[in-house]
Amino acid sequence: MPPPDELDAPTVRFEALTQPLPLGAAADDGWRAPQHRDGMALVLSSAASSGIGMLFWVLAARLFDPTTVGLNSTALSAMTLLGSAAHLNLGNAILRFVPVTDRRGAIIAGCFAVGIGVAAVLGLGFAVGAGVWAPELVEAVGYPMLIVFFVISTPLYTVFVLQDAALTSIKRADLVLWENLVFSLLKVALLAVAAWLAVESGIAIGWVVATLLVVLVVTSWVTRAVRKAPPPPTVHPVTVRDLGEFVGADYAGNIFWQAAVFGLPLVVINLAGPDGAAVYGVVWQIAFAFYLVAIGMGKSMVAHNAAADRAAADRARRGMERKALTLIVPAAIVTAVASYPILWVFGPAYAQTGTLLLILLALSAIPNVVTNSTVWEARVSRHRAVLVGLPAGLCALVMIGTFVLVPMMGITGAGCAWLGAQCVVAAGVLLRRRATRVTAA
């Protein structure tokens, strides 16, 4: 039996895992290759979280009255929105720089500290002004409890998001899957306890308690793992300026992406009314699951190729695209064919008005592999023009297309805008790649 200190110590072999992938085709394309293995773990993590998350809200609707569910879901939605804004895309900075620096702990701790500080300020600001933008929450629990909730929960959620990037950056994306499974199941268990105790705010409180427990365990493990790890074989100097320039460009591009994803429903409700927005919201949630596949594979690509040169990054990007398309193309086609019965589950109105929309949005996930992988490759190469320009162009095309087509075609126009924008941008990317290869030859 090994000594106790070996049993307790994290086992992370950084010297092997931080090296760029082998150049052979089998190493690049096999599902057991570290990049694709970890990417698949992140995809499965998103799928498991989404599935159990849906179960959580179904149970909440069964165990609590609609008013209670509405208040708790509003508080949690506000908290997750604030927490998502507060992390400033520092997770991508962790993915990009931690694998190539001998100051892993300092970078991770610094990113966590910045995220916590920004989240605390945003949470406090939201709670103080809730009388203006969320008076129902103030009426339900009062200002003191609301301030305590947001000042605690928002930083916790920010760390929860960032620690996934930390785990992926040290090549332990498999733990992200288990972390999210435990978190999701813990939320459901605490929900049942809250219902048994008849705690009206138990939905939100249970969510935060589950987050706290998972954050304490994971951050403790990451701290020990990073402290005991040897330096990477390829060390690149990382300065505060490097981090600032990367985060600035990446966050600017992410603002455009978030505007397209979360801002478009506001455009749809103004153009198509509440009924149209309801159908769009349900359909987008289904289709966005395919977008998450490319996002998960991209995160793994950055973590495993942060030290790669341009040629190696290009090979890694091609491998990511092949694997993502292998998963997305058949799933998107099946969803398109079965779109009517899928939406019938939500009600006949959704099936009648949203079928073509679901077909278009599901198919838009295919060219999104090209556009998304290009952005992730730009994170490896720190190509700031692409990090900002590509999401900005995509956002502009989606927004303009929606404004023009929805009044003419109804909510189907939003699907046409997404598919058209993705195809146009992907075509531009592919033409640019072809021109680059011809020039190089």
Side-chain angles (χ1 to χ4, degrees):
M1 178 179 293
D5 58 335
E6 290 186 11
L7 288 175
D8 293 336
T11 55
V12 183
R13 297 188 60 188
F14 288 93
E15 62 272 28
L17 293 172
T18 51
Q19 294 178 2
L21 291 176
L23 303 185
D28 286 341
D29 289 335
W31 281 109
R32 292 187 179 182
Q35 173 185 325
H36 304 319
R37 178 200 62 207
D38 284 0
M40 192 63 188
L42 295 175
V43 171
L44 292 175
S45 175
S46 297
S49 297
S50 299
I52 302 177
M54 184 177 295
L55 172 64
F56 174 87
W57 287 111
V58 169
L59 290 175
R62 297 277 187 176
L63 297 173
F64 295 87
D65 63 84
T67 301
T68 300
V69 173
L71 289 170
N72 279 267
S73 64
T74 299
L76 289 173
S77 295
M79 179 268 290
T80 54
L81 176 62
L82 294 170
S84 298
H87 66 63
L88 304 176
N89 268 33
L90 290 168
N92 289 337
I94 292 173
L95 290 172
R96 174 60 183 82
F97 293 107
V98 167
V100 295
T101 180
D102 54 0
R103 300 174 59 246
R104 296 189 185 97
I107 290 179
I108 292 175
C111 290
F112 279 24
V114 171
I116 289 171
V118 174
V121 172
L122 291 180
L124 178 62
F126 179 88
V128 170
V132 176
W133 40 71
E136 298 85 358
L137 294 178
V138 178
E139 183 179 347
V141 299
Y143 268 115
M145 287 300 297
L146 201 63
I147 291 173
V148 170
F149 174 80
F150 277 99
V151 169
I152 293 175
S153 65
T154 308
L156 273 177
Y157 183 75
T158 298
V159 175
F160 180 78
V161 173
L162 292 176
Q163 70 186 13
D164 286 357
L167 287 169
T168 304
S169 71
I170 62 174
K171 316 305 185 294
R172 292 309 306 266
D174 57 313
L175 295 183
V176 176
L177 172 59
W178 292 109
E179 169 214 31
N180 284 311
L181 278 173
V182 170
F183 171 67
S184 299
L185 294 173
L186 193 56
K187 282 192 308 182
V188 172
L190 292 172
L191 177 69
V193 172
W196 181 61
L197 296 175
V199 180
E200 290 189 353
S201 56
I203 300 174
I205 292 175
W207 187 299
V208 174
V209 171
T211 306
L212 173 62
L213 295 174
V214 171
V215 164
L216 288 175
V217 172
V218 174
T219 53
S220 298
W221 188 92
V222 169
T223 300
R224 292 190 298 126
V226 170
R227 186 185 302 122
K228 293 176 180 291
T234 303
V235 177
H236 293 174
V238 179
T239 65
V240 174
R241 180 177 179 180
D242 292 330
L243 288 168
E245 291 179 348
F246 177 88
V247 171
D250 195 44
Y251 191 63
N254 188 60
I255 289 174
F256 289 108
W257 173 247
Q258 298 294 331
V261 172
F262 296 109
L264 201 66
L266 300 177
V267 177
V268 171
I269 197 171
N270 283 308
L271 296 176
D275 292 343
V279 175
Y280 177 83
V282 168
V283 172
W284 176 250
Q285 290 300 315
I286 297 171
F288 192 64
F290 302 137
Y291 279 63
L292 291 176
V293 173
I295 292 172
M297 302 295 283
K299 289 180 178 179
S300 181
M301 185 194 79
V302 172
H304 283 275
N305 294 276
D309 58 21
R310 187 174 297 276
D314 182 67
R315 285 191 295 271
R317 189 261 309 154
R318 293 199 303 268
M320 171 204 161
E321 288 177 346
R322 284 191 290 268
K323 289 305 179 187
L325 289 171
T326 300
L327 297 173
I328 291 173
V329 170
I333 293 174
V334 169
T335 300
V337 172
S339 56
Y340 190 87
I342 289 173
L343 291 176
W344 184 265
V345 174
F346 296 90
Y350 290 90
Q352 291 168 8
T353 59
T355 296
L356 184 54
L357 175 64
L358 179 55
I359 293 172
L360 295 169
L361 289 178
L363 294 177
S364 74
I366 297 174
N368 174 68
V369 172
V370 175
T371 59
N372 195 278
S373 67
T374 302
V375 174
W376 286 107
E377 183 184 13
R379 291 186 173 113
V380 174
S381 61
R382 297 161 64 181
H383 197 311
R384 284 179 286 173
V386 174
L387 286 176
V388 179
L390 193 149
L394 184 64
C395 175
L397 290 173
V398 170
M399 289 292 184
I400 293 171
T402 300
F403 273 111
V404 172
L405 295 175
V406 169
M408 299 168 52
M409 307 171 59
I411 57 171
T412 301
C416 292
W418 267 110
L419 180 58
Q422 290 283 10
C423 287
V424 168
V425 176
V429 168
L430 293 175
L431 289 173
R432 177 63 183 270
R433 289 178 189 170
R434 180 180 176 83
T436 301
R437 287 196 297 269
V438 169
T439 302

